[in-house]
Amino acid sequence: SQTIHQWPATLVQPVGSPLSLECTVEGTSNPNLYWYRQAAGRGLQLLFYSVGIGQISSEVPQNLSASRPQDRQFILSSKKLLLSDSGFYLCAWSVGGGGYTFGSGTRLTVV
Amino acid sequence: KQEVTQIPAALSVPEGENLVLNCSFTDSAIYNLQWFRQDPGKGLTSLLLIQSSQREQTSGRLNASLDKSSGRSTLYIAASQPGDSATYLCAVRPLGGGYQKVTFGTGTKLQVIP
């Protein structure tokens, strides 16, 4: 079956510290992968998407970066976190004409 | 630019009631529309996916309809239960656009009172 794993579930990091959030997909090949951020009381904002290994597109300028070192692995990173990076981060995948499947999310609090 | 609206933003109903959640979109050139539920602090769980050529999809007590001409989709929940309490979001994928072009609604927060 197709599953998506995202970790950690919660993270509290000081301002200026690095960040690495990981997402892995099982049960499918060559998925499109996405990182979204959901701020409190606001909608979902697409941060990055990837159609293949090493192919990353950014939707908004920001303090974050993404990488796809393997077909089913998507990583969200930052070298130095800002307070404004706090939020709920969601990884998702899709294949062909199917819909999205989302991970369980990571609650990031930058203090 | 596609705009997706979900009204009302919040809804409270007694257990057992049948209810309808609305999703309106401004551009009818869509590829598909997907309904999700989101529990507090959790990810989005897919409920139903309606392709552009379809009129409705059903899963258990849920039925989603799509009317492209009027730019509207509805999610019908039969015999609501307290476990249905969550935020419901719709997402519209445009025709000719990849998933990077998907537009999400801001959701309807549903509370089912026992």
Side-chain angles (χ1 to χ4, degrees):
Chain A
S1 63
Q2 300 157 335
T3 57
I4 179 169
H5 302 282
Q6 189 180 342
W7 68 91
T10 59
L11 192 60
V12 180
Q13 292 283 96
V15 169
S17 64
L19 172 74
S20 180
L21 302 181
E22 189 165 341
C23 173
T24 60
V25 178
E26 295 179 359
T28 187
S29 296
N30 196 30
N32 296 327
L33 297 173
Y34 312 85
W35 279 110
Y36 278 87
R37 179 168 55 202
Q38 187 177 36
R42 299 175 63 181
L44 284 154
Q45 179 186 36
L46 179 63
L47 302 175
F48 300 96
Y49 68 94
S50 172
V51 298
I53 296 174
Q55 300 179 61
I56 309 294
S57 296
S58 175
E59 287 294 296
V60 294
Q62 57 200 308
N63 183 45
L64 302 169
S65 62
S67 62
R68 185 171 178 174
Q70 300 180 43
D71 180 45
R72 287 170 284 183
Q73 183 184 29
F74 206 22
I75 298 172
L76 184 68
S77 304
S78 174
K79 293 182 179 179
K80 291 184 178 181
L81 283 169
L82 306 172
L83 286 174
S84 58
D85 292 324
S86 294
F88 191 53
Y89 289 84
L90 290 157
C91 179
W93 68 268
S94 70
V95 173
Y100 274 128
T101 299
F102 278 86
S104 54
T106 295
R107 172 72 59 193
L108 172 66
T109 304
V110 183
V111 297
Chain B
K1 178 184 175 184
Q2 178 75 275
E3 293 183 5
V4 180
T5 305
Q6 292 186 250
I7 296 175
L11 180 64
S12 183
V13 301
E15 181 178 3
E17 189 165 299
N18 301 326
L19 59 101
V20 174
L21 305 180
N22 298 298
C23 173
S24 299
F25 47 94
T26 55
D27 187 348
S28 62
I30 71 169
Y31 185 85
N32 62 36
L33 186 147
Q34 192 170 5
W35 282 94
F36 298 88
R37 69 173 280 168
Q38 184 176 28
D39 295 288
K42 304 295 184 182
L44 278 66
T45 300
S46 179
L47 298 174
L48 290 164
L49 174 68
I50 309 178
Q51 300 295 342
S52 176
S53 59
Q54 297 174 322
R55 296 282 294 181
E56 65 179 315
Q57 283 284 329
T58 298
S59 176
R61 294 183 295 108
L62 305 179
N63 175 277
S65 68
L66 175 64
D67 184 345
K68 290 187 298 180
S69 62
S70 66
R72 185 180 176 194
S73 176
T74 61
L75 180 66
Y76 175 83
I77 303 177
S80 59
Q81 303 171 358
D84 295 330
S85 298
T87 297
Y88 290 80
L89 298 102
C90 63
V92 178
R93 176 179 174 181
L95 192 64
Y99 267 101
Q100 66 271 24
K101 303 299 183 185
V102 165
T103 303
F104 284 83
T106 50
T108 294
K109 187 175 183 179
L110 172 66
Q111 182 183 26
V112 181
I113 303 169

